[in-house]
Amino acid sequence: FNTKIILKNLAERNMPHKLVHRKKHGFAFPISALMRGPLKEEFEEIILNPCPSLKNYFESSTLERLWYEHQRGFRDNGKKLYTIYVLFCVFAR
């Protein structure tokens, strides 16, 4: 059940054994940092100004609270905000 044995044997020539044979782990996308940085304006525009067809389903005060808590570093609402962002983008089409 040892997968990629040839690649691992080659990698061991230049990398530590412990690193080559560690368990797999996922790649975390830095969405929270992007929302506070280079993509802040785009996310803010979509999240705080939903399209008219969704406006009645979300309380604007809740969206604003989630956004400002995240921006000020009080809470990491990145996953929630990204989910809302994707939903709003899909319905904005």
Side-chain angles (χ1 to χ4, degrees):
F1 294 100
N2 195 353
T3 61
K4 301 182 183 176
I5 192 68
I6 295 171
L7 293 174
K8 289 181 180 185
N9 288 339
L10 289 171
E12 274 187 334
R13 294 180 184 176
N14 298 311
M15 300 169 69
H17 177 85
K18 187 176 179 179
L19 180 64
V20 173
H21 295 281
R22 71 180 181 187
K23 289 182 77 173
K24 288 173 40 173
H25 57 86
F27 173 74
F29 191 71
I31 196 68
S32 292
L34 291 172
M35 282 185 195
R36 289 187 184 112
L39 298 178
K40 179 180 176 181
E41 286 83 23
E42 179 172 339
F43 276 94
E44 186 173 37
E45 176 66 29
I46 299 293
I47 291 168
L48 298 183
N49 300 304
C51 65
S53 61
L54 290 175
K55 228 175 196 162
N56 296 332
Y57 295 100
F58 293 87
E59 290 184 19
S60 59
S61 61
T62 302
L63 295 173
E64 289 172 7
R65 180 182 51 79
L66 287 171
W67 180 255
Y68 292 117
E69 284 177 352
H70 184 77
Q71 290 303 314
R72 292 186 179 116
F74 297 139
R75 286 202 173 89
D76 183 0
N77 293 325
K79 289 182 181 180
K80 290 177 189 174
L81 290 167
Y82 183 70
T83 302
I84 292 166
Y85 172 82
V86 170
L87 176 69
F88 288 2
C89 286
V90 167
F91 276 90
R93 292 183 183 188

